[in-house]
């Protein structure tokens, strides 16, 4: 409540702020009513066929309703969806645990999660052991595929980026030069090109009979590309830590790696938190590019539905699909940014 009052006071604190506030309110008044009419009041929520949306100048939520299963899981077998639900519950449970204020043993829990949970999720989703039916990755799709790619990339990019950042600051010329070349190469190439190499060109250079799953190659391409960006963010955080912190750690008798792990890296991560979140948000939005690799993620499933002849009945279906996609991506990215802001407030020693 106090923050809302402070915000309202800022809106009328100066004549310029008053003018801007009035302009924003006017814009909302002119557009919000029309958006409400299009998205809610005149929208089509149910119907016996796609023809229920024909000739209606409003949102066609019937399209989302009819394809909601594919939007969530793609073509994953319906009788095996309990495995996806179990992985989702486990993942949400871990997020809740990490949000709790306890600290003792939290680092070990995080490390265990980064190692144990991916193995558990991979076994449950892929199957093939413990009596689980094999579900090929070609049947993964929708939000499931988006979450898998985003979660894997973020989880692997953080340690890889940290390792590359430390390698670039190494006193060994060969190691530093190799890390610098890797960063410059990856940041100089578009993700589309790297994904094209992983999906199309890589099979041409491996021995005959050797086949690596397309999703695995995609995950590796995402991790290698974003590790370079994360490395520069973390390197900036390391350089923001005062030199005296390292000298004080060495004066206490710590070795180089002990000083880095216990003193420098925690402060560097705190300083680099906004940049880390920016990279994470970019990763979530980058997942839509897998459509060019023949994978139907969340946006890909919506796009495939739009080319279904039964739903080619007007622009309202396409507008609804992309509006729904925009809302979902906004909610996810905005939620991540708000969570990161909370972490920043907790880690900001100057405000405590």
């Amino acid at each position: 409540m106090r923050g809302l009052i402070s915000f309202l006071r800022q809106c009328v604190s100066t004549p310029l702020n008053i003018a801007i506030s009035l302009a924003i309110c006017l814009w909302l008044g002119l557009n919000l009513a029309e958006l409400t009419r299009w998205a809610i009041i005149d929208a089509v929520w149910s119907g016996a066929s796609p023809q229920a949306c024909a000739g209606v100048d409003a949102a066609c939520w019937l399209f989302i309703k009819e394809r909601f299963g594919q939007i969530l899981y793609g073509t994953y077998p319906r009788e095996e969806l309990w495995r996806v639900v179990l992985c989702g519950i486990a993942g949400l449970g871990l997020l809740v645990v990490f949000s709790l204020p306890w600290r003792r043993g939290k680092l070990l829990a995080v490390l265990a999660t980064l190692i144990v949970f991916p193995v558990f999720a991979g076994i449950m989703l892929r199957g093939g052991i413990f009596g689980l039916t094999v579900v090929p990755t070609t049947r993964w799709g929708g939000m499931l595929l988006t979450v898998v790619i985003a979660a894997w990339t973020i989880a692997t990019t953080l340690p890889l980026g940290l390792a590359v950042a430390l390698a670039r600051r190494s006193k060994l010329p060969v190691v530093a030069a190799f890390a610098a070349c890797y960063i410059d190469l990856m940041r100089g190439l578009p993700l589309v090109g790297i994904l094209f190499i992983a999906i199309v060109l890589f099979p041409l250079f491996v021995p005959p009979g050797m086949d690596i799953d397309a999703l695995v190659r995609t995950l590796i391409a995402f991790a290698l590309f974003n590790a370079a960006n994360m490395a520069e963010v973390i390197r900036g955080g390391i350089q923001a830590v005062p030199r005296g912190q390292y000298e004080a750690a060495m004066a206490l008798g710590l070795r180089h790696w002990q000083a880095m792990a216990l003193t420098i890296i925690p402060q560097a991560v705190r300083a680099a938190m906004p940049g880390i979140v920016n990279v994470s948000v970019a990763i979530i939005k980058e997942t839509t590019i897998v459509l060019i690799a023949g994978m139907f993620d969340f946006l890909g499933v919506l796009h495939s539905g739009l080319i279904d002849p039964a739903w080619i009945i007007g622009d309202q279906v396409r507008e609804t699909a992309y509006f729904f996609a925009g809302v979902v991506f906004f909610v996810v990215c905005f939620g991540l940014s708000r969570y990161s802001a909370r972490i920043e407030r907790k880690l900001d020693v100057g405000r405590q």
Side-chain angles (χ1 to χ4, degrees):
M1 188 63 181
R2 184 179 302 175
L4 177 60
I5 295 176
S6 177
F7 171 75
L8 293 177
R9 287 178 178 175
Q10 292 178 2
C11 291
V12 295
S13 59
T14 64
L16 178 60
N17 286 353
I18 294 175
I20 294 176
S21 301
L22 291 176
I24 293 176
C25 291
L26 179 62
W27 182 86
L28 289 176
L30 294 175
N31 294 276
L32 190 59
E34 180 64 21
L35 178 62
T36 303
R37 181 202 65 79
W38 178 85
I40 300 177
I41 298 176
D42 296 341
V44 178
W45 296 90
S46 60
S49 68
Q51 292 303 317
C53 295
V56 178
D57 185 19
C60 180
W61 296 114
L62 177 63
F63 172 78
I64 303 298
K65 178 181 177 182
E66 291 293 326
R67 295 186 172 270
F68 194 68
Q70 293 184 7
I71 292 173
L72 290 180
Y73 313 111
T75 58
Y76 203 92
R78 296 298 178 261
E79 63 276 8
E80 302 293 335
L81 287 181
W82 64 271
R83 292 151 59 173
V84 181
V85 174
L86 182 61
C87 291
I89 293 174
L92 291 176
L94 291 173
L95 291 178
V96 172
V97 170
F98 293 143
S99 300
L100 297 178
W102 62 278
R103 294 183 178 181
R104 181 173 298 180
K106 199 167 187 178
L107 179 59
L108 294 178
V110 171
L111 294 177
T113 301
L114 293 177
I115 299 174
V116 176
F117 180 72
V119 175
F120 168 77
I123 292 175
M124 291 299 299
L125 296 177
R126 181 68 169 79
I129 59 176
F130 302 125
L132 297 173
T133 305
V134 176
V135 180
T137 57
T138 53
R139 301 198 63 178
W140 300 13
M143 186 61 71
L144 167 63
L145 184 60
T146 298
V147 171
V148 168
I149 296 175
W152 160 270
T153 306
I154 294 173
T156 54
T157 294
L158 284 170
L160 285 176
L162 177 60
V164 175
L166 293 176
R168 184 162 186 177
R169 290 177 54 86
S170 175
K171 296 181 180 179
L172 299 176
V174 176
V175 175
F178 179 80
C181 291
Y182 167 77
I183 292 174
D184 293 338
L185 177 63
M186 287 298 171
R187 296 184 70 192
L189 293 175
L191 179 58
V192 175
I194 297 176
L195 197 60
F196 178 80
I197 294 173
I199 298 299
V200 179
L201 297 183
F202 179 80
L204 302 177
F205 295 96
V206 298
M210 180 180 177
D211 185 23
I212 300 178
D213 190 273
L215 178 58
V216 174
R217 283 179 275 155
T218 300
L219 294 177
I220 294 175
F222 267 78
L224 293 178
F225 176 80
N226 288 283
N229 297 324
M230 189 67 75
E232 287 297 273
V233 171
I234 296 177
R235 186 170 70 92
I238 294 176
Q239 292 180 343
V241 178
R243 176 68 180 177
Q245 295 290 316
Y246 179 79
E247 295 174 351
M250 298 299 291
L252 292 175
L254 299 180
R255 297 179 180 274
H256 171 74
W257 288 109
Q258 291 176 325
M260 293 297 296
L262 300 177
T263 304
I264 305 302
I265 293 178
Q267 297 183 66
V269 171
R270 180 176 64 177
M273 184 59 67
I276 292 175
V277 174
N278 288 339
V279 175
S280 300
V281 170
I283 289 173
I284 295 175
K285 293 185 290 186
E286 286 172 358
T287 56
T288 58
I289 206 173
V290 300
L291 182 62
I292 66 173
M295 302 179 188
F296 293 91
D297 66 323
F298 168 63
L299 190 61
V301 169
L302 290 174
H303 182 73
S304 66
L306 295 176
I307 61 178
D308 186 343
W311 289 101
I312 304 178
I313 55 178
D315 294 337
Q316 63 271 27
V317 178
R318 183 176 66 256
E319 293 171 354
T320 304
Y322 290 128
F323 176 78
F324 177 73
V327 170
V328 171
F329 275 106
F330 173 79
V331 170
V332 173
C333 296
F334 181 77
L336 181 60
S337 64
R338 290 297 88 199
Y339 181 71
S340 68
R342 178 189 172 192
I343 295 177
E344 289 178 39
R345 288 193 298 269
K346 292 176 63 176
L347 296 178
D348 194 347
V349 179
R351 296 182 182 179
Q352 295 180 353

